[in-house]
Amino acid sequence: YMIYYLIFTFFSAIAFGDLKIGEPAPTFFLRTLEEERFFMSDTLAIEQPIVLSFFATWCIPCREEIPVLDSVRQQFPNMKFYLIDVSGLNTNGKAMIEDSLMVAKMINFLKVDMLVLMDIYGKTAEKYNVKELPTLIVIDPKGIISYMHTGYKKGDENELISILNGFANEKK
């Protein structure tokens, strides 16, 4: 019976996309806010730490986290930071659709300089098991998920900085 349980657990984890720390980061293809093509596989091949922040324009904690992430990004120029705008996420039974003009306005208003990827069907968020926003994911240089965090409150960035410092120290 134990083997059946293990097989069921393994397949249900695949079926329901329960991405966990220690697992390889899923690859994806998205367009940037400027309509350029972005392939996660190319970025993973560079073998640098990657920070993904899933957000939406209607998400208040996202608006607080994004400028903080941008300042963290400036402390770690050898690491890749990406904002992923999620459209179609269900909130109270209603699919919240994102508009690229609204996203551009928000990014300009926040005065941040990070590449924005448009997850217009919410498929990348699904691959990364994003259930609430913001969701922050750190991928190590080997392409493995090393940190996942949902929500944002002031001070959350300290754990991120600590993790990124760990990567920076490994390089030395």
Side-chain angles (χ1 to χ4, degrees), residues 2-146:
M2 187 62 178
I3 193 76
Y4 291 115
Y5 172 76
L6 290 173
I7 290 170
F8 173 76
T9 305
F10 175 75
F11 283 110
S12 59
I14 290 171
F16 299 113
D18 282 340
L19 192 64
K20 292 179 185 68
I21 290 171
E23 292 183 358
T27 59
F28 57 85
F29 163 78
L30 291 175
R31 293 219 178 250
T32 67
L33 192 53
E34 296 79 22
E35 290 293 319
E36 300 289 323
R37 294 170 174 216
F38 177 89
F39 294 92
M40 184 61 164
S41 53
D42 294 347
T43 304
L44 288 168
I46 297 169
E47 297 188 352
Q48 290 177 328
I50 300 165
V51 178
L52 303 176
S53 176
F54 291 85
F55 79 101
T57 56
W58 50 264
C59 165
I60 304 302
C62 299
R63 288 172 176 263
E64 295 168 9
E65 181 189 57
I66 290 171
V68 173
L69 273 182
D70 195 42
S71 67
V72 172
R73 176 191 63 79
Q74 291 167 33
Q75 295 173 46
F76 297 95
N78 296 332
M79 300 182 192
K80 303 287 184 192
F81 285 72
Y82 300 103
L83 296 174
I84 303 178
D85 178 70
V86 182
S87 195
L89 202 65
N90 259 334
T91 309
N92 302 328
K94 182 180 174 224
M96 303 296 280
I97 305 302
E98 290 287 281
D99 170 64
S100 58
L101 290 174
M102 289 295 289
V103 175
K105 269 187 189 171
M106 178 179 140
I107 295 303
N108 289 335
F109 176 78
L110 294 174
K111 294 179 174 58
V112 294
D113 184 24
M114 294 188 342
L115 191 64
V116 178
L117 308 174
M118 301 299 291
D119 188 11
I120 59 173
Y121 302 111
K123 295 297 180 195
T124 301
E126 223 171 80
K127 280 185 175 186
Y128 280 83
N129 203 29
V130 173
K131 301 276 191 263
E132 65 179 88
L133 298 175
T135 292
L136 189 72
I137 297 188
V138 178
I139 302 164
D140 76 12
K142 293 177 178 63
I144 304 300
I145 303 284
S146 63

